[in-house]
Amino acid sequence: RDYARARGRRAGVRRLILAGSVALLVACVARHQQPPEPSRAEQLLVLVTRARVAAAAGQREEAEAMLARFIEANPSTPEAREAAYWRAILRLEAATSRADRDEAKRDLDAYLADTAITAHMSEARILRSLLAAVDSTSQVTDSANVVARQVAAAREEELKKEIQSLKEQLEKTNEELTRIKRRLGSRP
């Protein structure tokens, strides 16, 4: 009888271990059937693609907002730094004014100020240098345009004075011609 009881207990323990193993196996299988959450790097790749599509479709503000939300949600991460780089790129692609270029420069400066190794450091440095060259060229061009306008205005004023002088000379010449005609006409 003790033997039967011990055997029954062992069978119960075996059943319990078997049921526990089956439950554990089912939980593992159910867990592996759920798709894994994408990494931040994968999320960034999808986000940058969406932002570029939105910007190409003329929704620049929406594209920038998507990247800004990602940066805000993932502060101080390598992916947030890369999102800032892509935000600068989108701003540069649509830059039509000095203000747009200044915004892109600020983003690039923030990206370059980060001491961590970043994926696009060389490109960011090159773009920043190019922006500095564009700004320098713009300033020279603006200065040249101002000087050219001043020279043109001065020349226009000189021409107006010369035209006025010529008109006065023509008027005097006409008066002199009229006097000569009268003298010639009054002589018998």
Side-chain angles (χ1 to χ4, degrees):
R1 193 166 183 200
D2 287 333
Y3 176 73
R5 207 181 290 162
R7 193 171 176 215
R9 280 188 214 156
R10 278 188 245 149
V13 169
R14 283 186 197 141
R15 282 188 210 116
L16 185 60
I17 290 174
L18 180 63
S21 298
V22 168
L24 183 62
L25 184 61
V26 168
C28 287
V29 169
R31 185 171 182 226
H32 285 289
Q33 289 177 347
Q34 296 174 355
E37 188 170 319
S39 68
R40 269 196 299 262
E42 292 169 331
Q43 292 173 3
L44 177 63
L45 181 63
V46 170
L47 180 67
V48 167
T49 303
R50 286 183 184 160
R52 292 189 72 140
V53 168
Q59 300 169 339
R60 177 181 162 209
E61 291 82 16
E62 177 58 28
E64 287 185 25
M66 288 191 291
L67 290 167
R69 285 191 299 270
F70 183 86
I71 293 167
E72 190 176 305
N74 301 286
S76 302
T77 62
E79 292 80 13
R81 287 189 290 274
E82 292 307 309
Y85 169 79
W86 285 108
R87 188 174 178 196
I89 294 298
L90 289 178
R91 285 182 171 170
L92 279 176
E93 287 177 348
T96 56
S97 68
R98 183 176 178 91
D100 292 336
R101 288 192 311 270
D102 287 345
E103 287 179 12
K105 275 195 300 190
R106 280 191 292 278
D107 287 342
L108 286 173
D109 287 343
Y111 183 78
L112 292 169
D114 196 335
T115 57
I117 295 175
T118 54
H120 300 284
M121 187 65 73
S122 297
E123 295 91 334
R125 282 189 188 118
I126 291 167
L127 287 170
R128 185 62 181 88
S129 296
L130 289 172
L131 278 172
V134 166
D135 285 346
S136 176
T137 304
S138 293
Q139 288 174 349
V140 168
T141 304
D142 291 346
S143 296
N145 286 341
V146 167
V147 169
R149 280 193 290 271
Q150 290 172 344
V151 167
R155 179 71 178 138
E156 185 177 344
E157 192 61 36
E158 287 175 17
L159 290 174
K160 284 180 182 178
K161 288 178 182 177
E162 188 176 336
I163 289 170
Q164 185 62 36
S165 173
L166 290 172
K167 283 182 181 179
E168 290 171 1
Q169 286 179 3
L170 180 62
E171 192 175 310
K172 288 179 183 178
T173 304
N174 282 337
E175 288 173 6
E176 182 69 28
L177 185 60
T178 305
R179 275 196 306 265
I180 293 172
K181 282 182 184 178
R182 277 189 222 146
R183 273 193 235 153
L184 289 175
S186 63
R187 282 191 181 173

